[in-house]
Amino acid sequence: QVQLVESGGGLVQAGGSLRLSCATSRIIFSIAAMGWYRQAPGKQRELVAQYISNGRTNYADSAKGRFTISRDNAKNTVYLQMSSLKPEDTAVYYCNAYAELGNGRRYDYWGQGTQVTVSP
């Protein structure tokens, strides 16, 4: 019942900016948090930024000071504003949402991924 639709990826020069968007099909209160992950070739998928329902945000060390995650409840959309982009930011970026299942477990929903390429 949850659908995540991503947009905003593309090619940008080092030092430039991009804003990624993740639109949900509807506001679902069972969703505990939403965030952005990325995966570069040959690397594991890693958390970039997370927006938790109580307003708390988490960032990877590599993203702090450069990336900002935000939410627009009226549009059912989560954004990732990326600035001062570096070639090492090149990856496929995935929108994520999860629901709590109990017993300390969760179920994850994923977007299709959007390619971000930062040229030197």
Side-chain angles (χ1 to χ4, degrees), residues 8-9 12-13 21 28 36-37 48 50 57 61 63-64 67 69 71 80-81 84 86-87 90 94 103 106 112 117:
V12 65
Q13 292 181 330
S21 299
I28 302 175
W36 292 91
Y37 289 71
V48 179
Q50 186 179 56
T57 57
D61 287 341
K64 291 179 179 177
F67 295 2
I69 188 169
R71 182 183 68 187
L80 183 67
Q81 178 67 48
S84 301
K86 306 173 182 178
T90 296
Y94 296 91
N103 297 321
R106 75 187 215 184
Q112 80 285 354
T117 301

mmCIF file of all heavy atoms in Angstrom, residues 8-9 12-13 21 28 36-37 48 50 57 61 63-64 67 69 71 80-81 84 86-87 90 94 103 106 112 117:
data_model
loop_
_atom_site.group_PDB
_atom_site.id
_atom_site.type_symbol
_atom_site.label_atom_id
_atom_site.label_comp_id
_atom_site.label_asym_id
_atom_site.label_seq_id
_atom_site.Cartn_x
_atom_site.Cartn_y
_atom_site.Cartn_z
ATOM 1 N N GLY A 8 14.802 13.827 -9.225
ATOM 2 C CA GLY A 8 15.789 14.854 -8.935
ATOM 3 C C GLY A 8 17.231 14.473 -9.179
ATOM 4 O O GLY A 8 18.115 15.330 -9.087
ATOM 5 N N GLY A 9 17.502 13.211 -9.484
ATOM 6 C CA GLY A 9 18.863 12.812 -9.757
ATOM 7 C C GLY A 9 19.341 13.344 -11.090
ATOM 8 O O GLY A 9 18.566 13.850 -11.900
ATOM 9 N N VAL A 12 25.908 16.470 -12.268
ATOM 10 C CA VAL A 12 26.246 17.796 -11.775
ATOM 11 C C VAL A 12 27.755 17.887 -11.596
ATOM 12 O O VAL A 12 28.419 16.885 -11.338
ATOM 13 C CB VAL A 12 25.511 18.102 -10.449
ATOM 14 C CG1 VAL A 12 25.982 17.166 -9.342
ATOM 15 C CG2 VAL A 12 25.674 19.548 -10.039
ATOM 16 N N GLN A 13 28.297 19.078 -11.747
ATOM 17 C CA GLN A 13 29.718 19.296 -11.530
ATOM 18 C C GLN A 13 30.031 19.379 -10.040
ATOM 19 O O GLN A 13 29.176 19.742 -9.226
ATOM 20 C CB GLN A 13 30.183 20.584 -12.220
ATOM 21 C CG GLN A 13 30.150 20.526 -13.738
ATOM 22 C CD GLN A 13 30.635 21.813 -14.366
ATOM 23 O OE1 GLN A 13 30.489 22.896 -13.805
ATOM 24 N NE2 GLN A 13 31.233 21.694 -15.546
ATOM 25 N N SER A 21 13.742 14.319 -4.447
ATOM 26 C CA SER A 21 12.403 14.292 -3.896
ATOM 27 C C SER A 21 11.907 12.855 -3.814
ATOM 28 O O SER A 21 12.208 12.037 -4.685
ATOM 29 C CB SER A 21 11.426 15.106 -4.754
ATOM 30 O OG SER A 21 11.809 16.459 -4.831
ATOM 31 N N ILE A 28 0.910 7.841 5.858
ATOM 32 C CA ILE A 28 0.647 6.595 6.552
ATOM 33 C C ILE A 28 1.288 6.680 7.925
ATOM 34 O O ILE A 28 2.511 6.779 8.038
ATOM 35 C CB ILE A 28 1.181 5.386 5.776
ATOM 36 C CG1 ILE A 28 0.546 5.330 4.387
ATOM 37 C CG2 ILE A 28 0.918 4.096 6.542
ATOM 38 C CD1 ILE A 28 1.105 4.243 3.502
ATOM 39 N N TRP A 36 17.166 8.621 3.224
ATOM 40 C CA TRP A 36 17.862 8.406 1.972
ATOM 41 C C TRP A 36 19.098 7.558 2.208
ATOM 42 O O TRP A 36 19.873 7.833 3.133
ATOM 43 C CB TRP A 36 18.274 9.735 1.334
ATOM 44 C CG TRP A 36 17.114 10.551 0.851
ATOM 45 C CD1 TRP A 36 16.430 11.490 1.544
ATOM 46 C CD2 TRP A 36 16.523 10.486 -0.446
ATOM 47 N NE1 TRP A 36 15.436 12.026 0.760
ATOM 48 C CE2 TRP A 36 15.467 11.425 -0.457
ATOM 49 C CE3 TRP A 36 16.775 9.729 -1.585
ATOM 50 C CZ2 TRP A 36 14.667 11.624 -1.586
ATOM 51 C CZ3 TRP A 36 15.985 9.923 -2.699
ATOM 52 C CH2 TRP A 36 14.942 10.867 -2.692
ATOM 53 N N TYR A 37 19.259 6.545 1.378
ATOM 54 C CA TYR A 37 20.443 5.713 1.335
ATOM 55 C C TYR A 37 21.111 5.889 -0.018
ATOM 56 O O TYR A 37 20.505 6.387 -0.966
ATOM 57 C CB TYR A 37 20.090 4.241 1.543
ATOM 58 C CG TYR A 37 19.651 3.876 2.944
ATOM 59 C CD1 TYR A 37 18.428 4.283 3.449
ATOM 60 C CD2 TYR A 37 20.462 3.088 3.765
ATOM 61 C CE1 TYR A 37 18.022 3.939 4.728
ATOM 62 C CE2 TYR A 37 20.066 2.735 5.037
ATOM 63 C CZ TYR A 37 18.844 3.158 5.515
ATOM 64 O OH TYR A 37 18.448 2.800 6.783
ATOM 65 N N VAL A 48 22.380 7.868 4.356
ATOM 66 C CA VAL A 48 22.863 9.223 4.143
ATOM 67 C C VAL A 48 22.189 10.196 5.108
ATOM 68 O O VAL A 48 22.852 10.996 5.767
ATOM 69 C CB VAL A 48 22.637 9.677 2.690
ATOM 70 C CG1 VAL A 48 23.119 11.112 2.495
ATOM 71 C CG2 VAL A 48 23.346 8.740 1.726
ATOM 72 N N GLN A 50 18.243 10.751 7.515
ATOM 73 C CA GLN A 50 17.008 10.157 7.993
ATOM 74 C C GLN A 50 16.178 11.206 8.719
ATOM 75 O O GLN A 50 16.710 11.978 9.524
ATOM 76 C CB GLN A 50 17.320 8.984 8.925
ATOM 77 C CG GLN A 50 16.128 8.184 9.386
ATOM 78 C CD GLN A 50 16.555 7.037 10.268
ATOM 79 O OE1 GLN A 50 17.226 7.249 11.285
ATOM 80 N NE2 GLN A 50 16.187 5.819 9.901
ATOM 81 N N THR A 57 16.490 14.328 13.150
ATOM 82 C CA THR A 57 17.169 13.952 11.920
ATOM 83 C C THR A 57 18.517 13.337 12.236
ATOM 84 O O THR A 57 19.156 13.675 13.239
ATOM 85 C CB THR A 57 17.362 15.157 10.986
ATOM 86 O OG1 THR A 57 18.089 16.185 11.672
ATOM 87 C CG2 THR A 57 16.010 15.711 10.549
ATOM 88 N N ASP A 61 28.268 11.036 8.665
ATOM 89 C CA ASP A 61 29.315 12.030 8.858
ATOM 90 C C ASP A 61 29.697 12.710 7.545
ATOM 91 O O ASP A 61 29.978 13.910 7.520
ATOM 92 C CB ASP A 61 30.549 11.384 9.491
ATOM 93 C CG ASP A 61 30.349 11.041 10.952
ATOM 94 O OD1 ASP A 61 29.432 11.603 11.585
ATOM 95 O OD2 ASP A 61 31.114 10.212 11.478
ATOM 96 N N ALA A 63 27.831 13.468 5.176
ATOM 97 C CA ALA A 63 26.768 14.348 4.705
ATOM 98 C C ALA A 63 26.570 15.586 5.573
ATOM 99 O O ALA A 63 25.996 16.577 5.108
ATOM 100 C CB ALA A 63 25.449 13.581 4.634
ATOM 101 N N LYS A 64 27.022 15.544 6.802
ATOM 102 C CA LYS A 64 26.808 16.654 7.725
ATOM 103 C C LYS A 64 27.417 17.937 7.184
ATOM 104 O O LYS A 64 28.552 17.956 6.725
ATOM 105 C CB LYS A 64 27.397 16.329 9.096
ATOM 106 C CG LYS A 64 26.657 15.236 9.846
ATOM 107 C CD LYS A 64 27.304 14.951 11.196
ATOM 108 C CE LYS A 64 26.548 13.869 11.942
ATOM 109 N NZ LYS A 64 27.198 13.532 13.230
ATOM 110 N N PHE A 67 24.379 18.214 3.336
ATOM 111 C CA PHE A 67 23.070 17.694 2.963
ATOM 112 C C PHE A 67 22.043 18.060 4.027
ATOM 113 O O PHE A 67 22.359 18.105 5.228
ATOM 114 C CB PHE A 67 23.096 16.174 2.828
ATOM 115 C CG PHE A 67 23.956 15.642 1.709
ATOM 116 C CD1 PHE A 67 24.692 16.483 0.893
ATOM 117 C CD2 PHE A 67 24.011 14.275 1.476
ATOM 118 C CE1 PHE A 67 25.478 15.986 -0.134
ATOM 119 C CE2 PHE A 67 24.784 13.762 0.455
ATOM 120 C CZ PHE A 67 25.523 14.612 -0.352
ATOM 121 N N ILE A 69 17.921 17.061 5.044
ATOM 122 C CA ILE A 69 16.693 16.331 4.781
ATOM 123 C C ILE A 69 15.531 17.127 5.365
ATOM 124 O O ILE A 69 15.643 17.720 6.441
ATOM 125 C CB ILE A 69 16.744 14.901 5.360
ATOM 126 C CG1 ILE A 69 15.535 14.091 4.906
ATOM 127 C CG2 ILE A 69 16.868 14.906 6.879
ATOM 128 C CD1 ILE A 69 15.647 12.603 5.208
ATOM 129 N N ARG A 71 10.876 17.578 5.227
ATOM 130 C CA ARG A 71 9.596 16.939 4.942
ATOM 131 C C ARG A 71 8.528 17.985 4.720
ATOM 132 O O ARG A 71 8.473 18.990 5.433
ATOM 133 C CB ARG A 71 9.209 16.009 6.104
ATOM 134 C CG ARG A 71 7.908 15.250 5.916
ATOM 135 C CD ARG A 71 7.588 14.428 7.156
ATOM 136 N NE ARG A 71 7.268 15.281 8.296
ATOM 137 C CZ ARG A 71 7.081 14.835 9.533
ATOM 138 N NH1 ARG A 71 7.200 13.535 9.794
ATOM 139 N NH2 ARG A 71 6.791 15.681 10.513
ATOM 140 N N LEU A 80 15.837 15.691 -0.105
ATOM 141 C CA LEU A 80 17.232 15.717 0.288
ATOM 142 C C LEU A 80 17.915 16.809 -0.524
ATOM 143 O O LEU A 80 18.114 16.660 -1.730
ATOM 144 C CB LEU A 80 17.919 14.375 0.056
ATOM 145 C CG LEU A 80 19.377 14.305 0.515
ATOM 146 C CD1 LEU A 80 19.456 14.413 2.038
ATOM 147 C CD2 LEU A 80 20.046 13.027 0.040
ATOM 148 N N GLN A 81 18.248 17.907 0.134
ATOM 149 C CA GLN A 81 18.973 18.995 -0.499
ATOM 150 C C GLN A 81 20.461 18.723 -0.351
ATOM 151 O O GLN A 81 20.960 18.608 0.769
ATOM 152 C CB GLN A 81 18.614 20.333 0.143
ATOM 153 C CG GLN A 81 19.365 21.521 -0.429
ATOM 154 C CD GLN A 81 18.989 21.820 -1.860
ATOM 155 O OE1 GLN A 81 17.808 21.881 -2.195
ATOM 156 N NE2 GLN A 81 19.991 21.973 -2.727
ATOM 157 N N SER A 84 27.487 21.458 -2.280
ATOM 158 C CA SER A 84 28.930 21.193 -2.243
ATOM 159 C C SER A 84 29.234 19.748 -2.608
ATOM 160 O O SER A 84 30.025 19.066 -1.940
ATOM 161 C CB SER A 84 29.508 21.538 -0.868
ATOM 162 O OG SER A 84 29.280 22.896 -0.543
ATOM 163 N N LYS A 86 30.566 16.333 -4.169
ATOM 164 C CA LYS A 86 31.891 15.835 -4.475
ATOM 165 C C LYS A 86 31.779 14.604 -5.358
ATOM 166 O O LYS A 86 30.761 13.910 -5.334
ATOM 167 C CB LYS A 86 32.637 15.463 -3.186
ATOM 168 C CG LYS A 86 32.712 16.570 -2.151
ATOM 169 C CD LYS A 86 33.322 16.055 -0.852
ATOM 170 C CE LYS A 86 33.371 17.128 0.204
ATOM 171 N NZ LYS A 86 33.926 16.619 1.482
ATOM 172 N N PRO A 87 32.819 14.292 -6.130
ATOM 173 C CA PRO A 87 32.769 13.074 -6.948
ATOM 174 C C PRO A 87 32.471 11.819 -6.136
ATOM 175 O O PRO A 87 31.811 10.911 -6.643
ATOM 176 C CB PRO A 87 34.167 13.024 -7.580
ATOM 177 C CG PRO A 87 34.581 14.453 -7.670
ATOM 178 C CD PRO A 87 34.026 15.096 -6.420
ATOM 179 N N THR A 90 28.941 10.310 -5.865
ATOM 180 C CA THR A 90 28.344 9.588 -6.979
ATOM 181 C C THR A 90 27.836 8.226 -6.522
ATOM 182 O O THR A 90 28.581 7.428 -5.962
ATOM 183 C CB THR A 90 29.357 9.415 -8.112
ATOM 184 O OG1 THR A 90 29.710 10.700 -8.632
ATOM 185 C CG2 THR A 90 28.777 8.578 -9.241
ATOM 186 N N TYR A 94 18.579 5.975 -2.898
ATOM 187 C CA TYR A 94 17.314 5.291 -2.685
ATOM 188 C C TYR A 94 16.535 5.942 -1.555
ATOM 189 O O TYR A 94 17.076 6.165 -0.469
ATOM 190 C CB TYR A 94 17.543 3.820 -2.316
ATOM 191 C CG TYR A 94 18.200 3.003 -3.397
ATOM 192 C CD1 TYR A 94 19.579 2.870 -3.453
ATOM 193 C CD2 TYR A 94 17.434 2.347 -4.356
ATOM 194 C CE1 TYR A 94 20.187 2.114 -4.438
ATOM 195 C CE2 TYR A 94 18.031 1.590 -5.339
ATOM 196 C CZ TYR A 94 19.410 1.474 -5.377
ATOM 197 O OH TYR A 94 20.004 0.715 -6.355
ATOM 198 N N ASN A 103 8.861 -6.280 18.543
ATOM 199 C CA ASN A 103 10.006 -7.126 18.864
ATOM 200 C C ASN A 103 11.320 -6.536 18.348
ATOM 201 O O ASN A 103 12.249 -7.283 18.009
ATOM 202 C CB ASN A 103 9.823 -8.542 18.326
ATOM 203 C CG ASN A 103 8.640 -9.246 18.947
ATOM 204 O OD1 ASN A 103 8.380 -9.096 20.150
ATOM 205 N ND2 ASN A 103 7.913 -10.015 18.155
ATOM 206 N N ARG A 106 11.644 -4.253 12.030
ATOM 207 C CA ARG A 106 11.002 -3.287 11.154
ATOM 208 C C ARG A 106 10.874 -3.834 9.736
ATOM 209 O O ARG A 106 11.591 -4.764 9.345
ATOM 210 C CB ARG A 106 11.781 -1.969 11.141
ATOM 211 C CG ARG A 106 13.075 -2.017 10.346
ATOM 212 C CD ARG A 106 13.868 -0.733 10.516
ATOM 213 N NE ARG A 106 14.580 -0.354 9.302
ATOM 214 C CZ ARG A 106 15.405 0.681 9.211
ATOM 215 N NH1 ARG A 106 15.621 1.453 10.271
ATOM 216 N NH2 ARG A 106 16.004 0.955 8.057
ATOM 217 N N GLN A 112 12.749 3.217 -6.286
ATOM 218 C CA GLN A 112 13.436 2.523 -7.371
ATOM 219 C C GLN A 112 14.896 2.942 -7.511
ATOM 220 O O GLN A 112 15.666 2.267 -8.197
ATOM 221 C CB GLN A 112 12.698 2.769 -8.691
ATOM 222 C CG GLN A 112 12.993 4.105 -9.366
ATOM 223 C CD GLN A 112 12.338 5.301 -8.702
ATOM 224 O OE1 GLN A 112 11.544 5.152 -7.780
ATOM 225 N NE2 GLN A 112 12.671 6.490 -9.173
ATOM 226 N N THR A 117 25.363 11.606 -10.331
ATOM 227 C CA THR A 117 26.728 11.549 -10.817
ATOM 228 C C THR A 117 27.359 12.928 -10.684
ATOM 229 O O THR A 117 26.820 13.910 -11.206
ATOM 230 C CB THR A 117 26.783 11.091 -12.281
ATOM 231 O OG1 THR A 117 26.176 9.803 -12.409
ATOM 232 C CG2 THR A 117 28.231 11.008 -12.764
#
